[in-house]
Structure formats: C-alpha cells, structure tokens
Amino acid sequence: MVKWMGDMVQDQASFYTNAEDYWKEVPPTVDGMLGGYGNISSIDINGSKDFLRKFLGDEEGKTGTGCALDCGAGIGRITKRLLLPLFSTVDLVDVTQEFLDKAKTYLGEESKRVENYFCTGLQDFVPESGRYDVIWIQWVIGHLTDDHLVKFLQRCQKALRPNGIIVIKDNVSYEGVVPDEVDSSVCRDLEIVRSLVRRAGIRIIHEEQQMNFPKEIYQVHTLALR
C-alpha cells in the first residue's frame, strides 16, 4: 500500500467494519445518502447528466445505453434520476442491505428494470465480465484503500462492454489524503486519484469539476475512464 495511506489505515478490517457500522445508522433517505446535503441532489444529477451525455450514442465509438452499474448505490438516488432514464437496465451494489431494500420501493415502477441488487463492499465485488456500458462510482472511493481501489478499477475495466466507460465522481482534497474518522473514509487530492487510476492501467479520457455546490464542501470532480 502507498505509504501515506498505509500509515492511516493500519488495520484494514476495522477501516471497513467501522464504515459498515456508520452506514447502518444512517437513515435510508436522500438526505441521509448526502450527509445532510439533500438539497444539492438536483444540481448533482443535472451535472452528471450533462457529463454522461457527451459519451452516449449510437455512432461509432460512442458508449451504449444497455446496462449500467451504480456503485455504492445507497437507496438508488443516482439509479432513479440519472441511470434509469438513460439505460435499459441497471444493477446496484452497496454494502448496506437496508439501503438496497429501501431502493426497491424508492425506485417505484421503474425498479422492474433493475436486474441485480448486490449487497457487498466494493473491495470484494467482482462485476460480471463484459456486462456494463457505464460503471458509475460516486462518493464511495474514499471507503477503499489504495490497493483495493486499484484492483476494483481493474475488475471494472474487465466488466465493460466495447466503448464502455467507468465514471468516478467524488470529493477531492486540496492536498494529500484527509481522513474522516466519523464514517471511516479518506478524501484524496486529485493528483493522487489520477495516479491510482494510472496504476490500474486505465486512461482518463475526460475530466470536469462539478459547479454550483456549497462552498464549504470539498470540490467534486468527475472523471471518465476507459
């Protein structure tokens, strides 16, 4: 493990179990998923739609719209408002069973287009090879150690269909790695995120900053990988 994070995550097991325990206490609501910032949900989704639409289409080289994977899906906020409107089918993966149970009602009638609800941590999740056009990973990479993030991205790359993309959307710190003891996660700076993507042997094909978020939260950047 890279030293600067290795010092922080001495005990991998408790890094993951503490996070699981934290999320078990979070209410299964949009506000709960967004740490009390439920009011930014529409700004977030609209920014993500604009980002994603740059890649989707039927033309050669464009990304298809058959199946998407929502990683760290929670109750399905992103599935409901971003992925189901754009893709034929969606799979959800989250470590908290209560959130996935809630997703089935939260998604309403559209839940019939969800094919799988996987309850597992991303460090253990192996997506099906060649299944997904888009793998969406939002506000969850901080719950993975460096090594696990690199390996997970490599598994995701194998799970892509031709011209598929992986999207990471997350907070980035101003410098280095900032631990969050409350939810047992870390926030990495942008250059560290890029270096971990490179370490996975994956290319960044596009990158944007999400605008119009509250000033008091860390900047959020979106990266498309292939």
Side-chain angles (χ1 to χ4, degrees), residues 2-225:
V2 174
K3 182 143 190 339
W4 42 256
M5 187 164 173
D7 292 341
M8 286 183 211
V9 189
Q10 287 296 347
D11 181 356
Q12 273 191 25
S14 63
F15 178 66
Y16 288 115
T17 54
N18 291 347
E20 285 184 43
D21 291 344
Y22 168 83
W23 286 106
K24 279 179 185 149
E25 300 302 316
V26 170
T29 61
V30 169
D31 212 41
M33 299 303 96
L34 293 175
Y37 283 94
N39 59 318
I40 69 170
S41 186
S42 289
I43 298 167
D44 168 58
I45 295 291
N46 290 336
S48 295
K49 271 187 184 154
D50 289 345
F51 184 92
L52 201 44
R53 282 191 177 121
K54 294 177 171 68
F55 302 96
L56 305 181
D58 299 325
E59 309 93 84
E60 192 173 344
K62 289 283 195 180
T63 300
T65 55
C67 188
L69 174 65
D70 185 355
C71 297
I75 64 168
R77 179 187 73 91
I78 290 165
T79 290
K80 183 182 180 93
R81 298 195 51 202
L82 175 69
L83 300 177
L84 280 171
L86 295 172
F87 294 86
S88 302
T89 60
V90 180
D91 291 345
L92 284 72
V93 55
D94 197 273
V95 76
T96 307
Q97 185 63 52
E98 187 191 2
F99 294 166
L100 294 174
D101 293 342
K102 174 71 177 182
K104 290 165 190 174
T105 52
Y106 174 72
L107 296 172
E109 183 63 18
E110 293 299 290
S111 66
K112 63 180 183 291
R113 294 195 289 115
V114 174
E115 294 198 348
N116 296 289
Y117 297 87
F118 300 107
C119 185
T120 181
L122 299 183
Q123 70 276 15
D124 300 316
F125 181 58
V126 182
E128 183 186 324
S129 181
R131 175 170 173 80
Y132 299 107
D133 293 297
V134 168
I135 296 177
W136 193 271
I137 309 170
Q138 183 162 346
W139 283 325
V140 70
I141 63 168
H143 282 300
L144 293 173
T145 65
D146 292 351
D147 286 352
H148 281 157
L149 177 55
V150 167
K151 287 172 183 160
F152 179 60
L153 289 174
Q154 289 170 334
R155 295 196 297 276
C156 286
Q157 190 178 39
K158 292 191 180 91
L160 291 178
R161 291 179 177 175
N163 298 316
I165 57 169
I166 301 162
V167 179
I168 292 174
K169 185 170 186 178
D170 221 304
N171 298 87
V172 295
S173 69
Y174 295 103
E175 187 178 3
V177 181
V178 181
D180 185 334
E181 302 293 341
V182 176
D183 68 357
S184 190
S185 70
V186 296
C187 185
R188 303 168 174 94
D189 70 36
L190 191 55
E191 192 40 56
I192 291 169
V193 175
R194 290 178 185 136
S195 72
L196 292 171
V197 170
R198 286 195 296 270
R199 207 172 111 196
I202 299 174
R203 274 188 316 127
I204 299 170
I205 58 171
H206 188 62
E207 200 178 294
E208 286 180 17
Q209 182 182 343
Q210 168 71 54
M211 305 311 288
N212 301 316
F213 270 3
K215 294 276 189 287
E216 70 269 19
I217 65 174
Y218 282 122
Q219 288 183 0
V220 171
H221 283 255
T222 313
L223 290 73
L225 322 173

